[in-house]
Amino acid sequence: MGGAQRAAILLLTLGEQDAAEVLKHLNARDVQAVGSAMASLSNVSREQVEQVLDRLNDDMGHHTALGMGTEEYIRKILVNALGENKAGGLIDRILLGRTSKGLESLKWMESRAIAEMINQEHPQIIALVLAHLEPDQAAEVIGYLPPRTRSDAVMRIATLDGVQPHALNELDEIMERQFSGGTKKLKSASVGGLKAAADILNAMETSRETELMTSIRQHDAGLGGRIEELMFVFEDLAELDDRSMQTLLREVPTARLVTALKGAEPGVRERIFANMSKRAADMLRDDLEVSGPVRLSEVDSAQKEVLGIARKLADAGQINLSGTGDEMVS
């Protein structure tokens, strides 16, 4: 079972009120994923429920209450340390994405609807909107934009740097034409950039990613090269250090790993086998042998899912994607 399926089973066992309280603390994309998983569940066995509860019990044993309510705590200590004026811009950068009701509302929209809403806007506004979305959502939105707009949008995202208040206010006004509610005064913020463009491309289907990178290189070979340097593809997993690989494998569902490895290079497979117990590696090899043909699109989807897990672990500081572990000094 994937994470969304496990979460769905857990919420269904909690009852309406407790499940609703849990959902309040999830972001929009996670609510959509868990909600879809809940809607598709049927004939859940007692064994599956017990597996989910056992996994939850294990996970809870490794966590503490640290980190709960940190946003308000961060605001208070920064204001006390730096004063209201100096702390304001720093708080906005740390808590980016929470300064505008209009922008936040995008995360609850379907990707097609966002594309339809921004399609006729200025290309720079389109880039700003996409830069504020999560990479996987931005990738979906780009897929619904006209072909001539896609590569231009990614290139503009890659070259975004500091965004001035008037630009963000213009962006927020576009959102407010679609949603009701008050706006807040927006300050300059750092959005977009090469890494943001690379993350969005990483989240796309391989065929579309290749198409856009080809177009970007044709328009600006230097920019295309800098974006490519920051992109992380499935074959790059072979460069992970042992500790990072083992951490990643603990988070990837076995069924998705099997599908992802159907189209993997031998080097990637061997690195993964080498970071598993002999018994687990033999079982994985057996699963690969007995599994039948798999559509290329399914393999691509599974590989993207594994890469998404890797990037989240890297963002949380749990693994290192650079290919080298921390150096030891005596």
Side-chain angles (χ1 to χ4, degrees), residues 163-192:
V163 182
Q164 295 304 310
H166 67 85
L168 285 180
N169 282 322
E170 183 179 351
L171 174 61
D172 204 57
E173 287 171 5
I174 294 172
M175 299 304 101
E176 290 304 320
R177 289 204 292 268
Q178 305 293 330
F179 305 101
S180 59
T183 61
K184 296 181 179 180
K185 185 178 179 181
L186 297 175
K187 302 175 182 179
S188 63
S190 178
V191 296

Side-chain angles (χ1 to χ4, degrees), residues 142-164:
I142 289 174
Y144 290 114
L145 293 175
R148 57 181 174 76
T149 305
R150 295 170 187 168
S151 59
D152 179 63
V154 176
M155 292 174 67
R156 287 175 182 271
I157 291 169
T159 54
L160 282 174
D161 193 3
V163 182
Q164 295 304 310

Side-chain angles (χ1 to χ4, degrees), residues 301-316:
S301 175
Q303 290 185 353
K304 293 291 186 183
E305 185 176 328
V306 174
L307 290 174
I309 294 172
R311 284 192 292 272
K312 287 181 180 179
L313 291 172
D315 290 342

Side-chain angles (χ1 to χ4, degrees), residues 237-250:
L237 291 178
E239 304 301 321
L240 292 183
D241 61 85
D242 290 344
R243 179 180 297 180
S244 294
M245 179 66 83
Q246 291 159 17
T247 300
L248 173 62
L249 292 176
R250 286 196 292 270

Side-chain angles (χ1 to χ4, degrees), residues 11-72:
L11 291 178
L12 289 173
T13 64
L14 291 178
E16 293 180 9
Q17 291 187 343
D18 290 335
E21 286 300 314
V22 173
L23 287 173
K24 289 179 182 178
H25 298 281
L26 300 182
N27 62 39
R29 300 290 284 175
D30 288 340
V31 171
Q32 291 179 9
V34 174
S36 296
M38 292 174 70
S40 62
L41 282 177
S42 62
N43 299 323
V44 179
S45 67
R46 178 180 294 274
E47 181 182 4
Q48 288 176 306
V49 174
E50 290 175 351
Q51 287 177 355
V52 168
L53 295 178
D54 287 343
R55 174 70 178 269
L56 175 65
N57 186 56
D58 291 341
D59 289 345
M60 292 297 290
H62 296 291
H63 290 78
T64 71
L66 289 176
M68 301 296 288
T70 52
E71 178 176 335
E72 187 59 28

